[in-house]
Amino acid sequence: MSETRGEKLISIVMKFVELKAIVALKDGIIYTLPMSLVGSVFLLLAQIPYKPFNDWMAGIFGAGWTEPLFQVYNSTMQIMAIIAVIGIAYMYAKNEGHEPLGSGIIAFAVFLITLNQYTASKSGEVVSGVIPRTWLGGQGMVTAIIIGLLVGFVYSWFLTKKITIKMPAGVPQGVSNQFSALIPGLVIITATMFVYMFFRYALNTTLIDFIFKVLQTPLQGFTDSLVGLIITTALVPFFWWFGVHGATIVNGVMSGLTAANRLDNQAIIDAGKELTLANGGHIVTDQFNASFVTVTGSGLTIGLVILMLTIAKSEQNKALGKLSVGPGVFNINEPILFGFPMVMNPLMFVPFVAAPTISAIVAYFAMRVGLVPLFTGVTVPWTTPPIISGFILGGWRTALMQIICIAISVVVYFPFFKKVDSMNLKSEQEAEA
């Protein structure tokens, strides 16, 4: 009976994972990663928290020596919404088997149509013919996701139904692809114009501003709440326990919001304000998850590896601990997930979910009371070892918090590991006898 229920649950999970929108979102949002990491390098160089170095650089290159660094930062990390809308629409069409670049370009155009292409100067003068950069980063992320998915779907529907301009056989494929995109592009962009007109003249706003206020702000608030953190944290090992890549699924859906939280934090600093909760800072960002939740791999399994290396009596567990410690330091834990195993192991379900969840709660309150600083816009590659990543992202206090999270992992896994280790030892002794 339990197996039947388990199979039904796995079937439901897999149906969700395989939804076209989820796959396109997961695959498309990845395109923001390279620019985010590149931009982080230049942002970190521009904001090195060491005054003698900054004074030395200013003495050589002048007071504006950071301007080129911020130019790169603004042209990489501050255009995340543009990259996301193109990437999601591109991957949706590609997964449907169509020429994808046209879908990405149309989505980019639709995204621009949703914006007011003017801004106001500090003196109140309206400057036309410009694109407000405010919406190109974190504040436009949810709109980018929605537009990317809708354009990808509609574009693919037209091509699947062959509602396109068909060119003769001798026409080069590149030219033919552009004419294939003409009809869906015309329909999508015309429909977007009417949407723009509705929000502009009926509601005196824009679609992107409406979505930000009505949808994105509440969603960001949910991701930044303790309840939202507990749910999203627990879902990662929950999916993994069934053999489904939980981090990819949850982060694929939530990464746009947590990245928006990170960019909001950096915007507070860019505005010359102190990064605090009172000034609108966020606790839960993508760096929070990487530093305290999925650090050393989903399920925070480094505690299990430490136990294998220190107190294991089973030769199997000792060998697996030696094999897993190297990858674990670089946040890769597949040897533990499938070798221990964690997947479909009823004895390890509770600690597998509890370890990262307790770690997240402790880190959340540490940041809420100010013991650990909020994250800025700087990110690091996901393979950066813990403690090192903590120093880069938030200094010694963030690194210390990572050590505490690892200690929590050891304590949570201890009683469950002792049981499994004794069972394995008994099996090995029986096999020897």
Side-chain angles (χ1 to χ4, degrees):
M1 184 71 175
S2 60
E3 289 184 0
T4 303
R5 289 178 179 175
E7 291 173 358
K8 288 182 179 179
L9 185 57
I10 293 174
S11 176
I12 294 172
V13 170
M14 292 306 299
K15 286 180 180 178
F16 173 78
V17 171
E18 293 171 358
L19 287 173
K20 293 178 180 180
I22 298 299
V23 174
L25 174 58
K26 173 174 63 70
D27 294 342
I29 206 78
I30 290 295
Y31 284 102
T32 65
L33 182 61
M35 289 298 97
S36 181
L37 294 176
V38 170
S40 293
V41 173
F42 288 89
L43 179 62
L44 184 61
L45 292 173
Q47 295 183 337
I48 292 177
Y50 186 59
K51 191 174 184 302
F53 172 79
N54 293 326
D55 292 341
W56 178 69
M57 291 294 288
I60 297 175
F61 300 104
W65 70 274
T66 60
E67 192 274 334
L69 300 175
F70 280 111
Q71 178 74 359
V72 176
Y73 157 71
N74 289 327
S75 302
T76 51
M77 286 181 63
Q78 292 290 66
I79 60 166
M80 290 294 104
I82 291 178
I83 299 173
V85 73
I86 295 173
I88 293 168
Y90 179 95
M91 289 308 304
Y92 198 112
K94 183 178 180 180
N95 293 339
E96 289 291 281
H98 304 301
E99 194 285 316
L101 186 57
S103 179
I105 293 174
I106 294 170
F108 175 48
V110 169
F111 183 81
L112 292 182
I113 294 171
T114 67
L115 302 171
N116 280 328
Q117 297 189 11
Y118 59 83
T119 189
S121 64
K122 293 182 179 179
S123 61
E125 180 184 358
V126 175
V127 181
S128 59
V130 297
I131 300 174
R133 195 163 59 193
T134 303
W135 299 109
L136 306 185
Q139 289 188 205
M141 190 63 75
V142 171
T143 302
I145 291 172
I146 294 172
I147 290 176
L149 292 175
L150 287 176
V151 170
F153 169 76
V154 176
Y155 177 88
S156 299
W157 182 85
F158 271 88
L159 267 61
T160 300
K161 298 296 183 179
K162 300 188 184 303
I163 307 176
T164 61
I165 297 176
K166 298 178 182 179
M167 302 300 291
V171 175
Q173 187 62 43
V175 176
S176 179
N177 288 337
Q178 305 317 308
F179 277 91
S180 296
L182 191 58
I183 291 179
L186 178 63
V187 172
I188 292 170
I189 289 174
T190 302
T192 305
M193 182 191 70
F194 286 110
V195 171
Y196 169 79
M197 292 170 62
F198 171 77
F199 282 95
R200 175 71 176 86
Y201 299 111
L203 302 181
N204 194 30
T205 184
T206 60
L207 173 65
I208 194 168
D209 189 47
F210 179 82
I211 290 176
F212 177 75
K213 292 177 180 177
V214 174
L215 189 59
Q216 179 165 336
T217 299
L219 285 175
Q220 282 188 249
F222 172 75
T223 63
D224 204 32
S225 68
L226 182 60
V227 173
L229 175 64
I230 292 172
I231 292 174
T232 54
T233 297
L235 281 176
V236 173
F238 174 80
F239 281 125
W240 257 122
W241 194 82
F242 291 98
V244 182
H245 202 304
T248 299
I249 297 168
V250 176
N251 291 339
V253 175
M254 303 302 296
S255 60
L257 295 170
T258 53
N261 290 347
R262 165 171 54 86
L263 294 172
D264 283 353
N265 282 1
Q266 184 59 42
I268 294 172
I269 298 174
D270 294 342
K273 301 178 182 178
E274 184 181 0
L275 180 54
T276 63
L277 295 176
N279 286 334
H282 298 281
I283 294 176
V284 183
T285 63
D286 43 7
Q287 308 107 306
F288 181 97
N289 293 324
S291 299
F292 307 132
V293 178
T294 58
V295 62
T296 74
S298 300
L300 200 57
T301 52
I302 192 64
L304 192 59
V305 175
I306 293 173
L307 292 170
M308 290 178 180
L309 294 173
T310 54
I311 67 169
K313 296 180 179 179
S314 164
E315 292 300 323
Q316 172 187 333
N317 289 337
K318 290 179 181 179
L320 183 59
K322 294 176 183 178
L323 177 66
S324 303
V325 65
V329 168
F330 295 96
N331 304 314
I332 300 170
N333 68 336
E334 273 73 7
I336 290 292
L337 295 178
F338 298 103
F340 188 69
M342 308 300 288
V343 174
M344 299 300 290
N345 186 342
L347 291 175
M348 300 307 294
F349 178 82
V350 171
F352 191 43
V353 175
T357 304
I358 295 173
S359 169
I361 294 172
V362 172
Y364 181 89
F365 281 106
M367 298 184 82
R368 176 163 285 280
V369 300
L371 296 176
V372 178
L374 301 182
F375 289 103
T376 66
V378 175
T379 61
V380 295
W382 67 272
T383 51
T384 305
I387 302 175
I388 295 176
S389 63
F391 271 113
I392 295 173
L393 294 174
W396 69 269
R397 289 185 292 171
T398 303
L400 179 60
M401 189 68 245
Q402 287 184 314
I403 295 174
I404 293 173
C405 291
I406 292 172
I408 290 172
S409 172
V410 174
V411 173
V412 171
Y413 277 109
F414 177 79
F416 300 91
F417 172 74
K418 286 287 290 182
K419 177 64 176 178
V420 174
D421 188 57
S422 64
M423 293 170 60
N424 290 345
L425 178 63
K426 183 179 180 181
S427 298
E428 290 170 4
Q429 290 173 341
E430 290 175 352
E432 278 187 26

